[in-house]
Amino acid sequence: WLGMAILKYIEATSETDYLDCANSIAEFILSMQDIDGGIKGGPKIDWYSTEHNIDAHAFLRMMFANTNDTKYKYGSDKILNWLVNVVFIKEEYRFMRGKKDLAVATDTVSFGIPAVGVKTFFENGIDSEKLVEFIEGTTKVTDQFKNNKDEVFEITGFDYIHPQNTG
């Protein structure tokens, strides 16, 4: 997120003082990329987060747009391939929370669609509307809320933590 903020700052101000910092972040991300294209959690961490990979994809795509350095496009494309072919469950029409982590995570959709893009998902065989339908069908809940005046309201929202997904 820091890298994205730096690039947005550069975009807004045309000042490039922090571009070296963004480059360092991008280089570190690329150093964590495995042969399948996924970015692991850290140098000594074997866990892979789908949401972190979505973040890395968006950041590297932004780096390419800012620098025209094709290694960032290549890295971003590899992450997209990983998202589509490693953590997307076609039968359920959803993403895993991480590599080999079957838990449902709403951020893979709520951030995934704007970060990757409806068009890019579509071009890779993923219908964004079906992703939303899955998340709504899985996490949307209606409950009653009582305020401090003892008034009861029915509210609809999203339950982000299913008991079976907590650690």
Side-chain angles (χ1 to χ4, degrees):
W1 286 84
L2 176 60
M4 287 188 249
I6 290 169
L7 295 177
K8 283 296 189 181
Y9 173 80
I10 292 170
E11 181 182 309
T13 65
S14 299
E15 293 179 27
T16 58
D17 296 344
Y18 301 106
L19 188 56
D20 285 344
C21 182
N23 276 314
S24 294
I25 293 167
E27 291 300 322
F28 178 76
I29 289 171
L30 290 174
S31 77
M32 294 293 102
Q33 193 163 45
D34 71 12
I35 194 160
D36 293 328
I39 307 296
K40 63 182 183 171
K44 296 179 182 178
I45 301 170
D46 291 330
W47 185 72
Y48 293 70
S49 161
T50 300
E51 190 263 329
H52 295 170
N53 274 270
I54 291 168
D55 298 342
H57 166 75
F59 172 60
L60 292 175
R61 196 175 62 209
M62 291 171 70
M63 282 297 294
F64 174 66
N66 276 271
T67 66
N68 230 13
D69 190 330
T70 56
K71 70 182 168 190
Y72 299 132
K73 181 178 183 332
Y74 180 70
S76 178
D77 289 347
K78 283 180 67 177
I79 294 169
L80 179 61
N81 183 65
W82 182 86
L83 291 168
V84 171
N85 294 303
V86 176
V87 293
F88 181 65
I89 305 172
K90 292 176 186 167
E91 300 79 19
E92 297 178 34
Y93 226 89
R94 71 175 183 95
F95 289 99
M96 296 179 208
R97 182 172 59 183
K99 186 176 182 179
K100 299 181 182 177
D101 181 347
L102 296 175
V104 173
T106 56
D107 57 3
T108 63
V109 173
S110 62
F111 184 65
I113 292 172
V116 174
V118 172
K119 181 180 178 190
T120 300
F121 271 147
F122 181 78
E123 290 169 348
N124 286 275
I126 297 175
D127 182 339
S128 297
E129 288 184 22
K130 287 184 180 179
L131 290 174
V132 172
E133 286 172 14
F134 172 83
I135 289 297
E136 285 184 345
T138 306
T139 64
K140 189 175 182 180
V141 294
T142 300
D143 206 346
Q144 292 190 339
F145 170 75
K146 184 190 242 184
N147 68 13
N148 58 359
K149 297 178 185 176
D150 286 333
E151 298 170 317
V152 178
F153 300 91
E154 190 170 89
I155 59 170
T156 300
F158 296 90
D159 178 5
Y160 295 102
I161 302 175
H162 289 282
Q164 71 270 21
N165 295 338
T166 58

